[in-house]
Amino acid sequence: MFAHCKSDRTRKLLAAVALFALALAFAGSAYADKKKPAPAADAPKLGDLRTKAYFDTSKIVWPNPPAIARIRFVDLFTGEKVDPNLFSKKNEKPKQKWMDRLAGTTPVEDIRVKELPFQLIRTYGVAVDSKGLIYAADQGVGAIFIFNPETKAVELIANGKQAHLGMISGLAMDDNDRLFVADVKLHRVDVFNSKHQLEAAFGAEVLATPASIAIDTENRFVYIVDTQNDVVDVFDADNFKLLRKLGTPGNKHTLTAPGTFSLPEGVAVDKDGNVYITDTFNDRVEIFDADGGFIRTFGKNGDGPADFERPKGIAVDCDGHIWVADAAQDMVKVFNQEGRLLIYFGQHGEYPGKFMGIYGITIDKNNRVITSETFPGRVQVFRYVTDAEFEAEKKRRESGDQKPASASAEQKPAAASPTNPVSVAGTDSAAK
């Protein structure tokens, strides 16, 4: 009897121990499950951080709805495509022993610097060829990046490989797809043919610090801003002979009279051959005719929307509006021919539509506005909605037609702050 009771007690004790152990197991499992977070399904890859915006960039427009858009954000470029696998820990080889590291026996093939894609660092001049390819001069890399907006492919004209480059600055493209490259260090302008082969070089006897370049394809002039000499040199576009100078040279950035310059930076030419120059230290824009005659100037120093603090790049659109990149305010400002501010956009920041050290600006035949930045290097692309497109969209709205007059003028809701840094002067007719 006592043996039977003892056996029952033993079985009950064993059962209790088993239940306790099972409870501990379940508790440990639940704690482990709670401790391990679920893996992020759509975590951004390292290579996407500079090139992808995690919001709808098609809604970035100026001015804000319900006004008719005059400027649309399109795209941005930061360099060659980054392969995230280069930084994956799965591909890392076992660490060497300390004695091997001390002996300096790291195999050369383990050093993967050559595999790293080139990224824009300090981007200055921008240009566009007849195929729509975008060219960007980067001083940090010492190369000209060539971006294909359709395929996203990137090519390079690199120093020591395809060319001998010093410190490149301004770019310009002629009607034969010849690329003109201003080189500050070599004091000259290099000319590359459509196959990106060096064809000529000129200006070494004249130029001190060549900056921006503009080409008058009708009158066959090449305008080169010589910043240090406070002049704009005018060369023949075919034989590269010096024809004349705009401004008074050699005054160490002290002149303020109309028709003179103090550290000029940007230059552009309109369809009539008129020349537009940013007089950076005088915080103004000066305009000359094709014969070199002074026409007028506008702008003054100040921190207001219509003022300048450090005007750098300049461009003229198909409707004759003057686009100026203000490096200190990190804004693009658009003026009419009389110098009245029509619209402006941008501010300090890294989101699309904002700028960090804006420098260059150009406008192509498809009304794309391309800008460059220097801190860090970046190229952004916008779309200018022309006066004709604006009028067509305005008439459509007044008639009650539901179908947009064009894809460019179609208005969409604006993106929420901070992704939509919009500042607008005027109403629906802004930039008209």
Side-chain angles (χ1 to χ4, degrees):
M1 178 178 177
F2 287 106
H4 179 71
C5 290
K6 186 177 181 180
S7 177
D8 287 343
R9 285 198 301 269
T10 302
R11 284 196 297 268
K12 290 179 180 179
L13 180 61
L14 291 174
V17 171
L19 285 172
F20 181 71
L22 189 61
L24 286 177
F26 274 114
S29 176
Y31 177 76
D33 292 341
K34 183 178 180 181
K35 191 174 181 180
K36 293 181 180 179
D42 298 318
K45 296 179 180 178
L46 180 61
D48 295 337
L49 293 180
R50 289 190 68 203
T51 58
K52 285 189 177 180
Y54 295 92
F55 49 85
D56 188 357
T57 57
S58 68
K59 296 179 181 179
I60 303 178
V61 297
W62 296 267
N64 274 324
I68 299 173
R70 299 310 306 265
I71 303 165
R72 293 186 173 281
F73 173 82
V74 176
D75 207 346
L76 64 82
F77 302 93
T78 59
E80 292 183 306
K81 185 177 180 180
V82 176
D83 182 5
N85 292 324
L86 287 175
F87 309 96
S88 174
K89 292 185 178 181
K90 295 180 181 179
N91 297 328
E92 289 184 359
K93 294 184 178 180
K95 292 184 178 180
Q96 288 184 302
K97 296 180 179 179
W98 69 271
M99 293 185 65
D100 293 331
R101 293 197 303 271
L102 187 63
T105 58
T106 303
V108 176
E109 57 268 20
D110 285 353
I111 305 174
R112 308 180 66 186
V113 174
K114 293 183 178 180
E115 298 180 31
L116 296 177
F118 286 104
Q119 300 293 291
L120 296 171
I121 298 176
R122 294 194 312 276
T123 316
Y124 285 81
V126 284
V128 184
D129 67 14
S130 62
K131 299 176 184 177
L133 300 180
I134 298 172
Y135 295 69
D138 194 279
Q139 288 186 4
V141 178
I144 300 166
F145 286 70
I146 307 172
F147 299 101
N148 187 322
E150 300 298 327
T151 65
K152 308 301 180 184
V154 183
E155 298 179 54
L156 267 71
I157 301 175
N159 179 40
K161 294 185 178 181
Q162 293 82 4
H164 174 55
L165 305 173
M167 185 181 291
I168 52 180
S169 181
L171 299 179
M173 192 77 62
D174 73 1
D175 47 355
N176 294 316
D177 278 350
R178 291 190 304 173
L179 177 66
F180 289 67
V181 182
D183 197 313
V184 177
K185 185 176 181 180
L186 300 179
H187 313 288
R188 72 185 189 194
V189 172
D190 291 336
V191 184
F192 295 85
N193 61 25
S194 59
K195 296 181 180 179
H196 306 152
Q197 299 168 335
L198 184 64
E199 187 177 87
F202 66 94
E205 302 82 10
V206 178
L207 301 170
T209 54
S212 299
I213 309 173
I215 301 175
D216 183 344
T217 57
E218 293 296 325
N219 296 307
R220 309 303 300 164
F221 296 146
V222 179
Y223 294 90
I224 303 172
V225 177
D226 192 338
T227 301
Q228 193 62 36
N229 285 333
D230 288 334
V231 296
V232 175
D233 294 307
V234 187
F235 291 84
D236 186 289
D238 299 310
N239 58 31
F240 309 128
K241 290 183 178 179
L242 179 66
L243 302 176
R244 59 178 175 271
K245 293 177 181 287
L246 303 179
T248 303
N251 283 277
K252 299 181 179 179
H253 323 314
T254 59
L255 297 181
T256 60
T260 65
F261 308 106
S262 178
L263 209 78
E265 285 279 355
V267 60
V269 180
D270 68 14
K271 57 187 177 183
D272 297 322
N274 296 320
V275 187
Y276 303 76
I277 301 160
T278 51
D279 188 4
T280 303
F281 270 18
N282 286 325
D283 293 304
R284 65 188 180 187
V285 171
E286 300 201 63
I287 307 174
F288 298 78
D289 62 27
D291 296 322
F294 176 77
I295 298 177
R296 62 182 170 276
T297 182
F298 69 87
K300 63 181 179 63
N301 176 260
D303 57 5
D307 301 328
F308 294 128
E309 290 191 73
R310 280 294 178 267
K312 294 293 182 77
I314 190 168
V316 183
D317 64 34
C318 62
D319 293 319
H321 305 129
I322 305 163
W323 300 59
V324 181
D326 193 309
Q329 295 183 15
D330 270 329
M331 289 184 180
V332 174
K333 306 181 179 187
V334 186
F335 300 84
N336 65 10
Q337 283 291 318
E338 288 69 43
R340 181 173 65 87
L341 180 66
L342 303 173
I343 189 171
Y344 64 98
F345 64 98
Q347 65 186 67
H348 303 295
E350 297 181 350
Y351 282 107
K354 296 185 178 183
F355 304 104
M356 295 292 289
I358 187 171
Y359 181 86
I361 185 170
T362 190
I363 303 175
D364 70 3
K365 62 183 180 181
N366 295 317
N367 300 308
R368 293 184 305 172
V369 180
I370 295 100
T371 63
S372 65
E373 298 162 64
T374 56
F375 305 112
R378 185 170 65 168
V379 170
Q380 295 194 63
V381 182
F382 304 86
R383 170 65 160 85
Y384 163 60
V385 178
T386 66
D387 286 351
E389 292 171 330
F390 169 82
E391 290 296 339
E393 176 64 12
K394 185 178 179 182
K395 290 180 181 178
R396 182 196 69 81
R397 293 190 181 190
E398 291 173 348
S399 67
D401 187 1
Q402 298 299 316
K403 185 178 180 181
S406 70
S408 298
E410 181 185 359
Q411 186 64 62
K412 299 179 181 179
S417 179
T419 64
N420 187 25
V422 178
S423 298
V424 178
T427 60
D428 285 7
S429 59
K432 179 179 181 296

